[in-house]
Amino acid sequence: MVAVTVNSLKPLAWTPFLSSLNSFNWAWSFVSIPRKTSRLRPLSCQMAASEGDTQIMTKVIDSHLHVWASPQEAAERYPYFPGQEPSLPGHVDFLMECMEEAGVDGAFIVQPINHKFDHSYVTSALKKFPSKFVGCCLANPAKDGSGIKQLEDLVLKDGYRAVRFNPYLWPSGEKQMTNEIGKTLFSKAGELGVPVGFMCMKGLLLHLQEIEKLCTEFPSTVVLLDHLAFCKPPKNDEERRGFSELLKLSRFPQIYVKFSALFRVSRNPYPYEDLSQVLAELVSSYGAHRVMWGSDFPFIVAECGYKESREAVSYLAKQGHLPSSAMEWIMGKTIMQLFDGKWSDIAN
């Protein structure tokens, strides 16, 4: 278990999304981001009628989001990786405004591909808001093994508390994450006490054997499966097998699942109603104490809105008849426990 010193910090005041863009003299100020809409009335209105049935949660923690520099910041100090210039605003001050408006107390920042292995922007956010954020660095699987030292430095010197494995960054022709470099990185993460997050963007089945092998050989390394391991609500045999394998992975006690980026796995528009049964089955297999909500900010802002992404989970849990105690775990207690009670000192 990882121990991190966390300071108290009161939430900042919120200003609306468009106002926040116009308040900065950046290239994003002229960008209009359409938000996908639903014919359903706002979930906040739907849930208000049953507010008395819902237990007030002390902390809400977003287990998956990204931040990257504004164009001005990129030009001056934090350059984007060539060819990975973002099309959406994702600077940390915008995130703070969204979190305040949504009532989200803290977040787990995953290093974005937009800066690739240059962690300086995320590191600056972690230092600026030490009580709000925990950082997840990006594993560098370079053949020369330089990524091992990079991981150690990011954890021991810069305070990162997790590492992401993006299998599509492994050298072509390699046996992906179970090659010598992958095993060393995975083992080192366990030694350092930091979880490994897997991004299975091309499907869980493609990476299932690697994940099983790593978890079997290195049971002390905690694992986070991002975005339900990209398993959609099953409609054909291959999807049913993929979702079944996701549930079977619960046999590894070190595996946790992020119920995150719902727009990426749902076939329905907001509030993603086809995921209510998926959530119920995840909780049945893993227990709520191994499931955590994540927004996938800033991508979610254009899909339904940041606040709405939080409300969608409450709606889906209600549809799936999950108790309020399960929601407390999913919305914050799971990730707080995983990181030894971090964020617990944030003032309500």
Side-chain angles (χ1 to χ4, degrees):
M1 196 66 67
V2 181
V4 184
T5 301
V6 182
N7 303 317
S8 297
L9 180 67
K10 293 185 178 180
L12 303 179
W14 175 76
T15 53
F17 169 48
L18 293 179
S19 297
S20 72
L21 291 182
N22 292 329
S23 65
F24 296 98
N25 185 26
W26 294 336
W28 296 120
S29 61
F30 61 80
V31 176
S32 175
I33 303 178
R35 180 182 296 178
K36 297 180 182 179
T37 58
S38 168
R39 294 178 182 175
L40 297 176
R41 61 188 175 127
L43 293 187
S44 55
C45 296
Q46 295 184 44
M47 293 186 292
S50 59
E51 186 175 344
D53 299 330
T54 303
Q55 184 176 342
I56 297 175
M57 293 177 287
T58 55
K59 295 291 181 294
V60 176
I61 308 297
D62 187 339
S63 75
H64 194 104
L65 53 76
H66 309 280
V67 292
W68 48 70
S70 68
Q72 180 176 331
E73 290 173 314
E76 294 176 353
R77 189 172 181 182
Y78 304 109
Y80 305 128
F81 188 80
Q84 296 291 347
E85 296 79 6
S87 59
L88 294 170
H91 53 275
V92 70
D93 293 316
F94 176 35
L95 168 62
M96 289 291 288
E97 293 170 356
C98 290
M99 288 172 60
E100 173 61 16
E101 189 269 343
V104 175
D105 299 292
F108 183 74
I109 301 178
V110 179
Q111 170 72 7
I113 196 64
N114 310 86
H115 294 289
K116 206 167 182 181
F117 302 124
D118 178 359
H119 290 72
S120 57
Y121 184 76
V122 171
T123 300
S124 72
L126 300 178
K127 292 180 178 179
K128 186 176 181 180
F129 302 106
S131 68
K132 283 287 187 183
F133 302 131
V134 165
C136 175
C137 61
L138 181 62
N140 180 357
K143 287 185 177 181
D144 62 4
S146 58
I148 310 299
K149 181 65 163 57
Q150 290 174 18
L151 173 60
E152 289 183 322
D153 288 345
L154 287 165
V155 172
L156 300 177
K157 295 180 180 180
D158 295 324
Y160 284 79
R161 294 294 175 258
V163 57
R164 187 181 217 191
F165 274 32
N166 179 342
Y168 317 111
L169 294 178
W170 257 253
S172 60
E174 296 285 345
K175 180 52 182 175
Q176 293 292 314
M177 298 178 290
T178 51
N179 68 356
E180 183 180 352
I181 295 296
K183 287 186 176 182
T184 304
L185 283 167
F186 194 83
S187 175
K188 178 60 66 176
E191 292 175 17
L192 294 169
V194 297
V196 171
F198 286 111
M199 185 184 73
C200 304
M201 183 173 285
K202 296 182 180 180
L204 173 61
L205 293 179
L206 181 62
H207 307 292
L208 179 63
Q209 291 184 349
E210 297 167 274
I211 293 171
E212 291 176 327
K213 184 177 181 63
L214 290 170
C215 288
T216 299
E217 291 189 25
F218 308 101
S220 64
T221 303
V222 173
V223 166
L224 310 175
L225 297 178
D226 297 344
H227 312 333
L228 294 87
F230 287 84
C231 291
K232 292 180 176 290
K235 283 198 168 183
N236 56 49
D237 289 343
E238 183 176 6
E239 290 176 349
R240 278 188 282 274
R241 180 180 165 230
F243 186 64
S244 175
E245 293 296 343
L246 171 61
L247 299 181
K248 289 178 183 178
L249 284 175
S250 64
R251 70 186 184 276
F252 293 100
Q254 75 264 42
I255 294 183
Y256 293 71
V257 179
K258 292 184 184 180
F259 191 67
S260 55
L262 305 187
F263 68 96
R264 297 189 187 277
V265 292
S266 175
R267 291 187 173 85
N268 293 349
Y270 174 83
Y272 317 119
E273 292 189 76
D274 58 345
L275 295 180
S276 62
Q277 183 61 30
V278 169
L279 177 57
E281 292 191 47
L282 280 177
V283 171
S284 177
S285 293
Y286 284 85
H289 64 290
R290 290 165 62 195
V291 179
M292 60 190 85
W293 163 71
S295 68
D296 202 20
F297 172 94
F299 303 105
I300 192 63
V301 175
E303 294 293 328
C304 67
Y306 186 77
K307 180 181 180 182
E308 289 76 8
S309 71
R310 173 190 171 178
E311 293 175 346
V313 182
S314 298
Y315 175 79
L316 295 172
K318 199 168 182 59
Q319 294 295 104
H321 306 291
L322 296 182
S324 60
S325 58
M327 276 299 292
E328 287 190 359
W329 283 103
I330 295 167
M331 300 305 293
K333 284 179 67 176
T334 296
I335 192 167
M336 288 177 68
Q337 177 176 269
L338 187 61
F339 290 102
D340 197 26
K342 298 309 113 185
W343 299 284
S344 59
D345 294 333
I346 298 174
N348 290 320

